[in-house]
Amino acid sequence: MLEATPMMSTPKCHPIVSLHPDTILVKRTKNPVSPSIACSLPRKNFKITAAKPEFKPQNNSNPDDENKWLTKKDGAEDVDFGWLPAFPHVLTASMSNFLFGYHIGVMNGPIISIAKELGFEGNSFLEGLVVSIFIGGAFVGSISCGSLVDKLGCRLTFQLDTIPLILGAIMSAQAHSLDEILFGRFLVGLGIGVNTVLVPIYISEVAPTKYRGSLGTFSQIGTCLGIIASLCLGIPSENDPHWWRIMLYIASIPGFVLALGMQFAVDSPRWLFKAGRFDEAKEVISKIWGPSEVDKAIEELQSVIKNDGADLDSSWLELLKEPHSRVAFIGGALFILQQFAGINGVLYFSSLTFQDVGITSSALASLYVGLTNLAGALCASYLMDKQGRQVLLIGSYLGMAISMFVIAGAINFPIDTEITDNLSILGTIMYIFTFAIGAGPVTGLIIPELSSNRTRGKVLGFSFCVHWVFNFLIGLYFLELVEKFGVGTVYAGFGGISLLAAAFSYYFIVETKGRSLEEIEMSLYQSRNNIK
């Protein structure tokens, strides 16, 4: 879900929070061949084979139902609106990511005014603590989300999670002491931590198979829009030292919208089936996937899920057993590689890079970065179901590596000041754009797709906890590495890690484009005995 932050004008010790961003709609071409995909390392115990199983629905579907959402012109298919029934529900869930982006951007400029008004101006440790305690709350929220979503379902968990989001924003806005704003920021982080896990689960389980990739990128698009909104609303803070309170009050509004919107949204049909609410699951499937999909979907669900409530009692210890441990390893490794590929560091130094070419306003530089990130996310929404997850992930990391090497070369082997500055700007923009196309949205989408219905919440919770830990560590030590080795050397290191991430994606990631979650689970997990 990740995912990029704007530059932060924060002290040296500040950990920098990153995004996850994770979509819009695309058309998948039909492949008449049922491929067999094998991704393996030399070690046999990590071999993944994903052969697509065939399902034969008991009842023949009505051809008219299949074309329900197709507009025909001159006897040919013109526009496919099959994504439309699920769109409002995905859009509502993506409001959580809008909040995520907003709360990341809301502290960029006002932290100086906050420190001055609350009496800790000049204390870089306390200023950093106000920013980084958000990560602590997010870690706790992520680890708790798996159990919450198993017991309560996505819809109710969304609504309950708006409580810390709303209270945290209001408490931060009304803070008159350091303790109050720290507690408010922790509550906000707690809510964001739950949502970063919950949104990819919900979208992956609600979206039709054909559009799951495109709709999945809505989380990243929401995050980008949240950052841009906070940057735009933060402009008056340059002249009004108390404007930060208004900005934090505004942050509570999307929480109310999310709580109300979820009252009208559907719950995950997979969770309803696991909970034994069989008729409700069929009703939701008919509503958002179409009546013709009900029989096939129910048959697939029956092949991998118990509908007596037994699958609601998954344990964290199951992640230590195969095949769940393999997916948890992939999820954690993807987020570690994402962080070590340098997204936070590049964003932190991008303000200095823009200053070198005359863009002295940090807000304007942040806006350029936010718009670049948004453009990449929109491209990802178009390409996700066309090119596939693995191709985008590999291409994204290769693009990030090239970008880092371009900047490192310009810094370490300067020819002309103007050329160096231009190459640095080009490399920075290219890095952020290529990150937003794959490494950001694909990471948050592929993990729930590879997870089993039984342990999806736990695997996502573990993976995002790993993300928050390494997010914190990279933000904490990045500047020390720069001081010791230099920007060019550190950027070259980021490029090397990006190449490693591309290789990891080639060997470990199974293509999930155009395949239902149940098809993926059956092919990866093989037998039901492995997931009991």
Side-chain angles (χ1 to χ4, degrees):
M1 299 178 176
L2 154 56
E3 141 192 345
T5 351
M7 301 77 57
M8 290 193 169
S9 53
T10 54
K12 166 184 171 180
C13 64
H14 291 188
I16 306 170
V17 184
S18 72
L19 315 189
H20 292 82
D22 282 295
T23 324
I24 253 180
L25 77 113
V26 182
K27 195 170 182 181
R28 175 176 66 85
T29 57
K30 294 183 180 179
N31 186 357
V33 181
S34 296
S36 176
I37 305 172
C39 297
S40 63
L41 286 182
R43 294 174 57 185
K44 294 182 179 179
N45 57 326
F46 281 104
K47 185 177 181 180
I48 300 177
T49 302
K52 184 175 179 180
E54 295 184 1
F55 293 91
K56 297 179 180 180
Q58 295 176 354
N59 299 322
N60 293 328
S61 59
N62 187 344
D64 293 334
D65 291 334
E66 296 178 357
N67 297 325
K68 180 179 179 180
W69 300 102
L70 295 179
T71 299
K72 292 192 175 182
K73 183 178 181 181
D74 298 329
E77 291 184 7
D78 187 18
V79 182
D80 187 347
F81 288 105
W83 52 273
L84 191 58
F87 177 76
H89 311 281
V90 171
L91 186 64
T92 302
S94 298
M95 183 63 68
S96 300
N97 289 84
F98 179 88
L99 268 171
F100 181 22
Y102 188 90
H103 278 292
I104 289 173
V106 78
M107 281 293 168
N108 276 6
I111 184 62
I112 304 301
S113 299
I114 294 171
K116 185 175 182 179
E117 186 171 342
L118 299 185
F120 56 93
E121 183 182 14
N123 190 326
S124 60
F125 173 78
L126 292 180
E127 290 177 3
L129 186 60
V130 170
V131 175
S132 61
I133 198 170
F134 178 94
I135 299 178
F139 178 88
V140 176
S142 294
I143 202 72
S144 63
C145 182
S147 299
L148 285 174
V149 74
D150 282 346
K151 297 296 183 183
L152 305 176
C154 292
R155 186 165 167 263
L156 183 55
T157 302
F158 268 119
Q159 292 179 309
L160 290 177
D161 189 50
T162 59
I163 296 174
L165 288 170
I166 294 171
L167 290 180
I170 294 175
M171 183 173 291
S172 299
Q174 294 179 337
H176 293 285
S177 68
L178 176 63
D179 292 340
E180 289 177 356
I181 197 166
L182 285 176
F183 187 60
R185 288 287 291 170
F186 180 84
L187 285 178
V188 168
L190 186 69
I192 293 300
V194 172
N195 279 342
T196 52
V197 175
L198 187 58
V199 173
I201 292 176
Y202 181 78
I203 294 179
S204 66
E205 294 192 350
V206 167
T209 297
K210 184 177 180 180
Y211 311 99
R212 191 176 60 240
S214 299
L215 292 173
T217 59
F218 262 87
S219 57
Q220 179 163 343
I221 293 172
T223 304
C224 296
L225 292 175
I227 291 175
I228 293 172
S230 67
L231 292 173
C232 293
L233 289 173
I235 293 175
S237 65
E238 297 179 2
N239 301 316
D240 184 355
H242 305 293
W243 181 252
W244 62 272
R245 295 187 183 274
I246 303 298
M247 293 182 68
L248 289 172
Y249 276 124
I250 292 174
S252 66
I253 296 175
F256 287 107
V257 174
L258 177 62
L260 179 62
M262 271 296 153
Q263 190 64 32
F264 301 97
V266 298
D267 214 329
S268 163
R270 272 107 179 171
W271 182 83
L272 291 171
F273 194 89
K274 285 195 293 186
R277 293 157 65 173
F278 190 77
D279 292 335
E280 291 179 64
K282 292 177 65 175
E283 182 180 350
V284 169
I285 292 170
S286 178
K287 180 178 181 180
I288 60 177
W289 298 349
S292 64
E293 295 293 320
V294 175
D295 291 334
K296 178 184 177 182
I298 292 300
E299 185 176 348
E300 291 184 0
L301 290 172
Q302 288 174 334
S303 66
V304 297
I305 299 176
K306 293 181 178 180
N307 62 348
D308 58 0
D311 278 343
L312 299 178
D313 299 322
S314 63
S315 167
W316 284 100
L317 294 177
E318 293 181 44
L319 299 190
L320 299 177
K321 303 175 183 178
E322 283 288 351
H324 310 294
S325 60
R326 179 172 63 240
V327 179
F329 164 75
I330 292 173
L334 282 175
F335 276 123
I336 291 173
L337 291 168
Q338 182 195 70
Q339 291 301 302
F340 277 119
I343 182 62
N344 287 335
V346 173
L347 291 170
Y348 186 94
F349 261 93
S350 56
S351 58
L352 300 179
T353 304
F354 280 104
Q355 286 177 12
D356 291 337
V357 294
I359 302 174
T360 57
S361 171
S362 60
L364 184 59
S366 295
L367 186 59
Y368 283 140
V369 170
L371 292 174
T372 301
N373 196 27
L374 177 61
L378 292 173
C379 288
S381 70
Y382 176 76
L383 295 172
M384 192 74 75
D385 286 318
K386 274 185 173 294
Q387 302 299 324
R389 285 57 153 164
Q390 187 186 41
V391 171
L392 281 186
L393 201 55
I394 294 173
S396 173
Y397 277 118
L398 290 177
M400 291 162 64
I402 293 172
S403 304
M404 287 292 92
F405 293 142
V406 167
I407 299 176
I411 294 173
N412 291 330
F413 307 102
I415 300 175
D416 177 79
T417 301
E418 184 177 354
I419 294 177
T420 298
D421 291 344
N422 289 335
L423 286 176
S424 296
I425 287 290
L426 176 64
T428 299
I429 294 297
M430 181 179 173
Y431 177 92
I432 295 169
F433 183 80
T434 53
F435 173 89
I437 285 181
V442 174
T443 302
L445 178 63
I446 195 71
I447 301 171
E449 289 183 327
L450 294 178
S451 305
S452 71
N453 281 284
R454 177 177 172 84
T455 60
R456 185 167 291 123
K458 300 292 194 304
V459 170
L460 261 291
F462 166 79
S463 300
F464 273 97
C465 284
V466 170
H467 163 265
W468 293 118
V469 169
F470 282 89
N471 180 296
F472 178 84
L473 293 175
I474 295 297
L476 188 63
Y477 292 108
F478 171 71
L479 286 182
E480 292 188 17
L481 292 173
V482 169
E483 290 177 0
K484 185 173 182 179
F485 300 105
V487 177
T489 302
V490 172
Y491 274 26
F494 289 159
I497 296 295
S498 297
L499 289 179
L500 179 62
F504 180 90
S505 302
Y506 178 80
Y507 284 107
F508 278 91
I509 300 303
V510 174
E511 184 54 66
T512 57
K513 177 187 71 171
R515 308 175 68 194
S516 72
L517 298 182
E518 288 68 41
E519 288 180 271
I520 298 168
E521 180 172 345
M522 286 196 69
S523 59
L524 294 183
Y525 288 70
Q526 297 301 317
S527 70
R528 180 65 178 157
N529 292 331
N530 286 333
I531 57 176
K532 285 183 180 180

